Amino acid sequence: MITLLNVQKAYGAIPVLKNVNVEIAAGEVVVVCGPSGSGKSTLIKTINALEPIQGGAITVDGKNLGESGTNLPKLRSRVGMVFQQFELFPTMNVIDNVNLGQLKVLKRSKSDATKRSMEVLTKVGLEEYAERFPANLSGGQQQRVAIARSLAMDPICMLFDEPTSALDPEMVNEVLDTMIELAKDGMSMVVVTHEMGFAKSVGTRVIFMDKGEIVEDSDKDEFFQKPKTERAQAFLNVIKHN
Amino acid sequence: MSFDWSFIERNADVLIEGAKFTVSLTIFATICGIVFGTFLALMRLSKSKVASRFATAYVVFFRSVPLVQVLLIFYLFVPLLARLALDQRVAIGAETASYMAFAFFEAAYFAEIIRAGIRSVGPGQLNAALAIGLPKHQAMRYVVLPQAFLNVVPILLTQTIVLFQDVSLVYAIGALDFFGAAQRVVQIEYRPVEVYIFVAVVYFVICFTLSKLVMRLQTNLTKNLNQVGANT
C-alpha cells in the first residue's frame, strides 16, 4: 500500500534520510521509534509529501508521489495525518474543523459531512464538544478531535507524528486508547512514538531508526524479545527506565 | 478675542463635500489596499521567483516614493503616457487620480502588514490543511489567511488611520478633501484658529471612535481563539 524505495533526503549538507526502504501493507500497525534526530518524523512526513525528497521514490496506493501528473492533494486526502501539536484550526469550532476537508476536498454536502463528523466524534468520545472551539479543549481532547478530523476523510492509512509527546501525562492515555481502538478496527497505521506500551499492545511491526537509517525492521515480538542490533538494544534499555 | 464658530454652519456644504471625499477615498483605499495587498503578500511569499520579485519590486518602489509624488505621477504622467500610447487626450481628473494613486500606494503598505500576519501563523497549520487534502490556495484561504488577518487587525487599523490623515495630501493635485475644504474656509472667513481647532477635533473624534470600534471588533473576533478557564 505504501512503498519507500531508496529514499534520500537532506537539509542542506546534513543527511536526514539515507537510503530508506520500507513497505507497509494494509492492516499493519507500524511503530517507528528511535532517538531524536533520527529522521522518524521526517520519514512519515515524506509519505504525505509534506517533506520533499531528493532521491528514491515513494508510492502510495499505487501512485508515485514524485511524478508530475500525481494529484498530491487528492492523495494526501486519502492518508490521514495527526501532528504532535494537534494543529486544529483555531478559527473554527470542532465540527467545522472536522467538516472542512469533507466539504472542500471530498465535496460532500453539508449534511452528509456533518453526519460523518458526528460519527467520528462519537467514536473518539467527543460528540458533545462539537460546538466548542479548540482553545476551550484540553490537549488530549484536541488531539482526539485531530484524529476524528483525519478519520472523517475515510483514509486508507493513518500517520501519527509523536501524537502524545506534547501532552500532559494524565492525557496521554485517552489518546492512546483512541489509537488502540482504531488499530483494533483494522486501520493501517504508521506511528512515530516513544510509547512502547502502545507498540507492545497493538503494534504489528517495529521500525527502529538511528541517524537517518533504518537499523531494524522486525515483527513486534522479535523486536522486544531479542533485537538484532546493539543500538536497538541500548535504546530499549534507556526507554525501559522511563 | 472670542471664538466665533458660526463659520461651520455658513460653510457646511463645502465642509461636508470635503469630508465625503475624505471618507470615500479612505474606504476605497483601505479595501483596495487589503485586497491587492493580500495578493502582493502571497506573491512575495510564493515559490515562483517571477511573482516574488515582482511583488518585492512593487513594494520597494511604492515605499520609496513620497505619496505626494505618487499623486503627481498619476495626475500628470498617466494622461501623458495615455496620449503617447493612444495618441489622444485623456484627462483623468484630480479625484480619479487620487483614487488610483491611493489604491496603488496603500497596496504596498498593506502587503507588508499582511505578509507579517501570514508569517505569524505557524507552518504546522499549513501542513495540517494540506494533510487533509486541501490544495495550497484553499489551505491559505480557509486556514492561514483568517488567522493572519486576526493577528494583524491592530496594525491594519493603524495603517487605515494614517491613510485617513494622508488624504489631506490630495491638495497637491487640486482635489478637495476635508482638510482642503477647511483651508478654503480659512481663506473666506479669516478665522484660521477656529477652523483648524474644528478640523483637529473632527479628525480626533473620527480616529478615536474608529480605533475603539476596531478594538471591540477584534475582541469579539478573537474571543474563541483565547482560552476560557484553565483547562490545558
Side-chain angles (χ1 to χ4, degrees):
Chain A
M1 186 174 57
I2 295 171
T3 317
L4 285 81
L5 194 67
N6 297 326
V7 169
Q8 318 259 2
K9 178 173 178 63
Y11 291 119
I14 306 157
V16 277
L17 293 177
K18 301 176 206 162
N19 214 26
V20 168
N21 288 285
V22 189
E23 196 161 325
I24 293 157
E28 278 193 292
V29 177
V30 181
V31 171
V32 184
C33 60
S36 34
S38 58
K40 325 177 285 284
S41 289
T42 308
L43 177 77
I44 67 165
K45 282 185 182 137
T46 62
I47 297 175
N48 223 352
L50 291 174
E51 289 280 359
I53 57 171
Q54 274 104 44
I58 299 175
T59 317
V60 174
D61 199 25
K63 303 218 171 49
N64 186 336
L65 295 186
E67 257 168 38
S68 56
T70 304
N71 184 343
L72 276 186
K74 192 170 178 208
L75 214 53
R76 285 187 184 123
S77 74
R78 312 206 55 202
V79 180
M81 177 124 192
V82 175
F83 297 85
Q84 187 175 359
Q85 301 291 346
F86 331 134
E87 303 297 352
L88 294 184
F89 308 134
T91 52
M92 303 173 198
N93 64 14
V94 166
I95 194 87
D96 288 341
N97 261 278
V98 185
N99 276 350
L100 183 68
Q102 302 180 66
L103 296 173
K104 301 297 170 194
V105 181
L106 303 180
K107 312 280 184 210
R108 286 184 184 151
S109 70
K110 183 88 192 274
S111 64
D112 285 353
T114 306
K115 188 164 160 261
R116 177 70 181 138
S117 294
M118 288 315 293
E119 276 170 25
V120 288
L121 284 172
T122 307
K123 195 171 179 68
V124 301
L126 291 172
E127 68 277 17
E128 285 170 17
Y129 293 77
E131 302 296 327
R132 291 254 201 132
F133 278 80
N136 296 320
L137 297 177
S138 72
Q141 290 167 337
Q142 289 190 52
Q143 194 61 298
R144 281 147 67 201
V145 172
I147 292 171
R149 181 173 70 182
S150 290
L151 280 180
M153 305 295 288
D154 302 317
I156 55 169
C157 176
M158 292 272 289
L159 309 174
F160 292 81
D161 185 7
E162 304 207 28
T164 57
S165 46
L167 292 171
D168 288 345
E170 72 266 30
M171 294 172 182
V172 168
N173 280 337
E174 60 181 89
V175 172
L176 286 179
D177 288 345
T178 307
M179 291 167 62
I180 288 169
E181 225 172 282
L182 270 186
K184 286 182 177 158
D185 287 350
M187 174 63 75
S188 315
M189 295 160 74
V190 182
V191 186
V192 173
T193 186
H194 295 297
E195 297 291 340
M196 289 302 125
F198 172 82
K200 281 179 184 159
S201 68
V202 289
T204 55
R205 189 172 143 200
V206 178
I207 290 177
F208 174 71
M209 291 184 74
D210 193 13
K211 301 193 177 98
E213 290 171 313
I214 292 183
V215 179
E216 282 211 41
D217 181 351
S218 342
D219 279 346
K220 171 189 53 174
D221 294 332
E222 201 182 323
F223 180 80
F224 285 112
Q225 278 152 24
K226 42 174 189 210
K228 280 174 277 195
T229 60
E230 274 178 31
R231 277 194 274 180
Q233 180 65 61
F235 178 77
L236 279 177
N237 285 338
V238 176
I239 291 265
K240 253 184 233 160
H241 289 296
N242 294 340
Chain B
M1 70 175 267
S2 62
F3 288 131
D4 174 8
W5 302 102
S6 60
F7 73 89
I8 300 175
E9 213 183 335
R10 274 198 303 282
N11 297 283
D13 285 353
V14 65
L15 288 170
I16 288 171
E17 196 195 327
K20 272 187 190 160
F21 181 70
T22 296
V23 170
S24 69
L25 182 52
T26 303
I27 293 171
F28 179 80
T30 304
I31 293 170
C32 288
I34 290 176
V35 173
F36 297 148
T38 303
F39 283 110
L40 284 169
L42 290 172
M43 283 165 76
R44 255 197 115 163
L45 295 170
S46 90
K47 283 195 187 117
S48 152
K49 281 224 169 88
V50 181
S52 94
R53 279 189 188 149
F54 169 80
T56 307
Y58 182 98
V59 169
V60 168
F61 175 76
F62 278 100
R63 293 211 309 180
S64 314
V65 181
L67 179 52
V68 171
Q69 186 97 52
V70 177
L71 281 163
L72 287 168
I73 289 174
F74 277 90
Y75 188 56
L76 300 173
F77 287 95
V78 169
L80 194 70
L81 283 178
R83 200 166 72 190
L84 288 175
L86 306 169
D87 200 27
Q88 58 180 350
R89 272 182 180 282
V90 184
I92 59 171
E95 295 208 347
T96 313
S98 303
Y99 280 108
M100 288 171 73
F102 268 85
F104 278 86
F105 185 82
E106 292 301 328
Y109 283 83
F110 279 108
E112 287 299 274
I113 296 170
I114 292 158
R115 186 168 71 111
I118 294 171
R119 296 189 67 129
S120 74
V121 180
Q125 284 287 306
L126 178 63
N127 274 347
L130 294 176
I132 57 172
L134 293 178
K136 179 100 185 268
H137 66 275
Q138 287 192 344
M140 293 304 286
R141 180 173 156 198
Y142 296 112
V143 173
V144 177
L145 284 178
Q147 295 176 61
F149 281 115
L150 285 178
N151 289 347
V152 294
V153 165
I155 318 176
L156 292 173
L157 167 72
T158 306
Q159 184 60 32
T160 302
I161 289 175
V162 171
L163 137 69
F164 172 66
Q165 294 166 356
D166 279 353
V167 169
S168 59
L169 291 173
V170 299
Y171 81 87
I173 56 172
L176 189 78
D177 75 316
F178 181 63
F179 194 78
Q183 279 179 314
R184 195 174 285 185
V185 174
V186 168
Q187 286 160 12
I188 301 168
E189 301 269 351
Y190 303 110
R191 284 272 174 196
V193 176
E194 286 94 331
V195 174
Y196 287 126
I197 289 175
F198 171 70
V199 168
V201 169
V202 171
Y203 271 107
F204 177 82
V205 168
I206 292 176
C207 292
F208 185 77
T209 318
L210 197 63
S211 75
K212 284 285 166 208
L213 280 176
V214 173
M215 288 307 156
R216 185 176 296 177
L217 176 73
Q218 198 201 12
T219 314
N220 279 331
L221 288 174
T222 54
K223 70 171 189 285
N224 290 322
L225 305 190
N226 303 317
Q227 219 152 21
V228 181
N231 47 347
T232 337

